[in-house]
Amino acid sequence: MSQANKYYSGLAVLILSLLVLPFALSAAGTAWVRITNLAILFVFLSLGLNIVVGFAGLLDLGYVAFYAVGAYVYALLASPHFGLHLPFWMILPIGAGLAALFGVLLGTPTLKLRGDYLAIVTLGFGEIVRIFLNNLSQPINITNGPRGITLIDPVRLGSISFGRSDQFFGLVLSGPMKYYYLLLLLLSLVIVVNLRLQNSRIGRAWEAIREDEMAARAIGINTTRIKLLAFAMGASFGGVAGGMFSAIQGFISPESFVLTESVMILSMVVLGGMGNIWGVVAGAVLLSFVPEMLRYTVVPLQMTLFSRIVIEPEVIRLLLFGLALVLMMRFRPAGLWPLRARQREFHKQAAIK
Amino acid sequence: MLAVLNLKVSYGGITAVKGVSFAIEQGETVAFIGTNGAGKTSMLKALARVLNEGTQGSIKLRGEEIIAMPPHHLIRNGLALVPEGRGVFARLSVAENLAMGAYIRNDRQEIAADLGRVYELLPQLRERHRQLAGTLSGGEQQMLALGRALMARPQLLLLDEPSMGLAPLMVNKVFETIRTVAASGVTIVLVEQNAKLALQTARRGYVMESGCITLAGSSSALLADPRVRKAYLGE
């Protein structure tokens, strides 16, 4: 088989298994479909953060703020809270746009900061957004404070509601399964956009800024604009993920958007391999599933061994998480699947695309 | 080509350049020599506009005032900087680094032709075109930085300490290349601590001391000047 044929048959197998996956998962319990959906959201978020951290090299510890913006935009525009019930295809772009605006808002004052200093400011930004959400219930009740927003509309496409089961051609699709397919569609879109971005003029400019900002400026890159673009694009992915999160969960509160979430998303990016799209996808999938699997294995295992729970699963989770990070830093400091495993063919005629 | 009037550069409370004035003619190579901290690099960064704040005075490029012009416009006007410490993109390949040099251009055929010319001028880059820039030797990185700047087709090239941290043999090679570039008609401003080599390469030069130009003249005159010989040539 030729190289291209191999590639396409591999791709076909991948797509097919991804299409069948929810049926296999629902055999193990609907919970697993939900977990998979959340995992896809985290892939979304990681890919968004990867633009900022991996491509442009700007360390962002407040990324969850954009997730929150997207989630609250959806929740406010499609719930009884304001009595608004806009369709999801209208809200998602609004959420993405507003998140991008917040990205520029964060990017503008931090243009001259790098590394640790940028991390501190972004961390503060994430906290500010969360604290605002927590307190914007007075004097006008916008976010409903720590009680959060409930009864958020599920996604509706025509007469199909993603909140309940339906039958298509004899196949029963539960709500989470429908969300799975929608998320898969959005995800493939996001991955395509990311791949195109990486090899575009903008992607190269991000790489240049990451490698040496002074040199980037010297070769004529408008570093201000390109950096803000990274913040805005990364944030807009976060906004879309947030909107989907709202729709899937039906309930959101500021508690879902704490610092540890930012750290988790950053860990996914770093674990997978900063800058490499497939590495980031792998990192996000791994870090989303392994803790869930632990939850389902650690308790029964301890029950059979000691007939009681010796260590709480949550404790083991953090323990293993820490261990994994230490091992990774020791043996694969560039991530599981680092950038530059690829050696791009690059000949005379291949100038910037 | 370039006319600088009373240029002052200050940042973080110190004034690194305290009002320098000079003019550079089309096609000539001019050296700026001086010790560490004399303000040479600050001046060059100010000329290339990569230093944002604290630049005062007047810089005219072909008669046009550029003191407030952002660097991404400046390079379109034919001014390119090879920064101190080379500043190659370490995790990009040699070929990608060179391609980035043509970032502002979109005449693909001309870019490809220029790439061929750069490879001709710097054959060791062609041999290593798929290698990551960070894995090159210091001299090769300097060549790459030079090649990358040439990819923008500059008329005025600002070189910041091209000999820094290089083995003597490599320094000679780099300066040979600089002479070739100069011979092709590119105007060059060369900032260098290696005073002898810089003055041998340039037609004339300026001596900088604590932010001011203290001596100016033709290279041969400067090389013969006892003050220069004592302070910079170690005699």
Side-chain angles (χ1 to χ4, degrees), chain B residues 115-182:
Chain B
L115 189 60
R117 258 169 243 140
V118 166
Y119 278 148
E120 219 164 280
L121 182 70
L122 306 160
Q124 62 272 57
L125 293 185
R126 191 201 293 274
E127 279 162 37
R128 298 178 183 275
H129 72 282
R130 288 176 67 179
Q131 205 172 315
L132 297 190
T135 65
L136 297 177
S137 76
E140 287 163 345
Q141 288 191 15
Q142 186 62 57
M143 299 290 200
L144 178 57
L146 191 63
R148 186 181 62 192
L150 289 176
M151 287 301 290
R153 271 204 189 167
Q155 283 120 39
L156 175 60
L157 194 57
L158 310 179
L159 301 177
D160 199 354
E161 300 272 6
S163 79
M164 194 167 77
L166 299 186
L169 202 69
M170 210 61 224
V171 172
N172 286 335
K173 268 190 168 172
V174 168
F175 273 82
E176 229 169 81
T177 313
I178 294 172
R179 279 183 214 114
T180 316
V181 173

Side-chain angles (χ1 to χ4, degrees), chain A residues 198-200 204 207 340 342-353, chain B residues 92-101 108 111 115 119 125-126 128-131 151:
Chain A
Q198 187 167 34
N199 284 317
S200 71
R204 290 288 161 73
E207 278 186 296
R340 284 291 148 177
R342 65 201 164 113
Q343 263 297 350
R344 260 184 263 154
E345 272 288 328
F346 217 89
H347 289 298
K348 261 192 263 173
Q349 71 276 14
I352 306 167
K353 288 192 188 90
Chain B
L92 301 188
S93 70
V94 168
E96 285 168 324
N97 264 277
L98 290 174
M100 284 309 290
R108 292 180 70 167
I111 291 172
L115 189 60
Y119 278 148
L125 293 185
R126 191 201 293 274
R128 298 178 183 275
H129 72 282
R130 288 176 67 179
Q131 205 172 315
M151 287 301 290

Side-chain angles (χ1 to χ4, degrees), chain A:
Chain A
M1 237 190 306
S2 76
Q3 199 71 29
N5 271 336
K6 241 182 203 164
Y7 175 77
Y8 283 116
S9 49
L11 198 67
V13 169
L14 179 73
I15 290 172
L16 219 74
S17 33
L18 282 175
L19 287 178
V20 182
L21 184 69
F23 292 97
L25 284 174
S26 41
T30 318
W32 282 104
V33 184
R34 287 215 178 84
I35 290 167
T36 309
N37 286 348
L38 280 182
I40 297 178
L41 281 184
F42 273 106
V43 175
F44 247 85
L45 290 168
S46 305
L47 285 173
L49 184 61
N50 183 48
I51 291 180
V52 185
V53 179
F55 291 173
L58 305 161
L59 186 51
D60 184 351
L61 280 183
Y63 188 67
V64 80
F66 309 124
Y67 189 38
V69 168
Y72 269 87
V73 165
Y74 190 98
L76 295 177
L77 296 180
S79 74
H81 184 64
F82 284 147
L84 289 169
H85 297 279
L86 300 182
F88 92 101
W89 51 263
M90 208 187 251
I91 307 176
L92 280 194
I94 298 176
L98 200 70
L101 196 72
F102 269 75
V104 173
L105 209 66
L106 170 64
T108 311
T110 56
L111 275 171
K112 292 201 176 78
L113 301 179
R114 282 192 80 84
D116 313 359
Y117 303 99
L118 180 63
I120 291 167
V121 177
T122 53
L123 188 149
F125 177 79
E127 284 301 283
I128 288 169
V129 167
R130 187 182 60 83
I131 290 165
F132 259 97
L133 294 174
N134 231 337
N135 292 290
L136 270 183
S137 50
Q138 286 167 326
I140 314 160
N141 187 359
I142 299 171
T143 64
N144 209 22
R147 276 163 300 159
I149 293 169
T150 50
L151 296 171
I152 301 166
D153 299 348
V155 169
R156 269 191 209 92
L157 266 178
S159 63
I160 306 164
S161 166
F162 283 57
R164 53 163 200 269
S165 294
D166 269 309
Q167 211 166 354
F168 297 99
F169 315 109
L171 282 175
V172 179
L173 286 186
S174 64
M177 283 163 89
K178 278 185 267 184
Y179 276 121
Y180 171 86
Y181 288 117
L182 180 62
L183 286 171
L184 204 61
L185 190 76
L186 282 173
L187 180 64
S188 16
L189 209 73
V190 165
I191 289 181
V192 168
V193 169
N194 262 280
L195 286 171
R196 304 281 311 193
L197 267 178
Q198 187 167 34
N199 284 317
S200 71
R201 203 177 134 78
I202 294 167
R204 290 288 161 73
W206 282 333
E207 278 186 296
I209 288 176
R210 183 189 68 203
E211 296 298 317
D212 191 317
E213 196 171 336
M214 168 76 74
R217 224 179 298 163
I219 60 168
I221 292 171
N222 184 345
T223 51
T224 304
R225 208 173 68 188
I226 292 289
K227 272 169 134 180
L228 287 182
L229 200 62
F231 273 114
M233 298 213 69
S236 66
F237 285 130
V240 172
M244 290 310 295
F245 176 73
S246 265
I248 293 172
Q249 297 292 94
F251 162 74
I252 56 161
S253 75
E255 240 174 86
S256 305
F257 309 104
V258 287
L259 174 64
T260 47
E261 292 290 305
S262 286
V263 173
M264 188 53 116
I265 302 164
L266 185 65
S267 305
M268 289 168 176
V269 174
V270 174
L271 178 81
M274 266 189 270
N276 181 11
I277 291 166
W278 299 113
V280 169
V281 172
V285 169
L286 208 65
L287 279 190
S288 308
F289 273 111
V290 171
E292 295 301 330
M293 286 178 181
L294 278 179
R295 198 198 302 272
Y296 286 95
T297 50
V298 160
V299 174
L301 190 71
Q302 292 191 54
M303 289 306 273
T304 38
L305 283 181
F306 314 111
S307 59
R308 68 193 168 91
I309 293 168
V310 184
I311 313 171
E312 287 295 321
E314 194 60 19
V315 176
I316 293 189
R317 202 166 89 123
L318 283 177
L319 197 74
L320 287 180
F321 188 57
L323 186 70
L325 281 185
V326 170
L327 285 178
M328 196 202 98
M329 284 305 152
R330 172 65 187 78
F331 295 106
R332 304 225 49 161
L336 294 177
W337 195 346
L339 187 67
R340 284 291 148 177
R342 65 201 164 113
Q343 263 297 350
R344 260 184 263 154
E345 272 288 328
F346 217 89
H347 289 298
K348 261 192 263 173
Q349 71 276 14
I352 306 167
K353 288 192 188 90

Side-chain angles (χ1 to χ4, degrees), chain B residues 77-97:
Chain B
N77 286 318
L79 187 151
L81 167 75
V82 178
E84 188 183 17
R86 309 183 270 273
V88 296
F89 304 127
R91 280 180 292 179
L92 301 188
S93 70
V94 168
E96 285 168 324
N97 264 277

Side-chain angles (χ1 to χ4, degrees), chain B residues 36-94:
Chain B
N36 255 339
K40 309 185 300 293
T41 292
S42 300
M43 181 200 72
L44 212 59
K45 281 185 180 168
L47 292 183
R49 299 289 310 122
V50 291
L51 205 67
N52 282 329
E53 319 83 51
T55 308
Q56 289 170 37
S58 159
I59 308 169
K60 282 192 170 139
L61 181 66
R62 277 187 242 96
E64 190 188 356
E65 181 60 61
I66 60 164
I67 191 114
M69 193 182 272
H72 54 274
H73 286 173
L74 210 48
I75 195 160
R76 284 173 212 273
N77 286 318
L79 187 151
L81 167 75
V82 178
E84 188 183 17
R86 309 183 270 273
V88 296
F89 304 127
R91 280 180 292 179
L92 301 188
S93 70
V94 168

